[in-house]
């Protein structure tokens, strides 16, 4: 399931990027592809954490704490990093 989730996420993300670059990205297409990406993320996160913790059974609590901390830190760092990109041209999907 982990490999299938990563493959689906990769393919749908590539399709989303290709549609944006080709300037054919519409709101329904973007929402559909994003739905698939987020559904695949659920497949990956649900399966990756137990697989990672299974490799260190003696330190499962520490491993769980490290995974939780990494998720929080990466989530907190995402918004400022996206904001550094600045404004370029608005996409066809935006309401602006």
């Amino acid at each position: 399931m982990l490999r299938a989730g990563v493959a689906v996420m990769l393919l749908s993300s590539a399709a989303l990027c290709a549609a944006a670059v080709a300037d054919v990205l519409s709101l329904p297409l973007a929402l559909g592809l994003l739905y698939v990406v987020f559904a695949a993320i659920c497949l990956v996160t649900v399966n990756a954490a137990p697989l990672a913790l299974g490799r260190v059974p003696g330190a499962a609590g520490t491993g769980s704490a490290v995974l939780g901390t990494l998720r929080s830190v990466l989530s907190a760092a995402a918004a400022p990093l996206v904001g550094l990109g600045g404004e370029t041209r608005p996409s066809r999907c935006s309401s602006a």
Side-chain angles (χ1 to χ4, degrees):
M1 290 303 285
L2 181 66
R3 289 183 184 177
V6 170
V8 168
M9 191 168 43
L10 181 67
L11 290 174
S12 56
S13 297
L16 186 63
C17 289
V21 168
D23 204 25
V24 295
L25 191 62
S26 64
L27 183 60
L29 178 62
L31 290 177
L33 289 171
L34 285 172
Y35 180 82
V36 174
V37 169
F38 290 128
I41 287 175
C42 291
L43 282 175
V44 171
T45 57
V46 166
N47 290 303
L51 288 173
L53 293 175
R55 298 184 136 229
V56 286
T62 303
S64 179
V66 169
L67 285 175
T69 302
L70 285 175
R71 284 182 184 167
S72 296
V73 167
L74 291 175
S75 297
L81 290 177
V82 170
L84 289 176
E87 292 186 29
T88 56
R89 65 182 180 99
S91 69
R92 294 176 60 196
C93 297
S94 69
S95 61

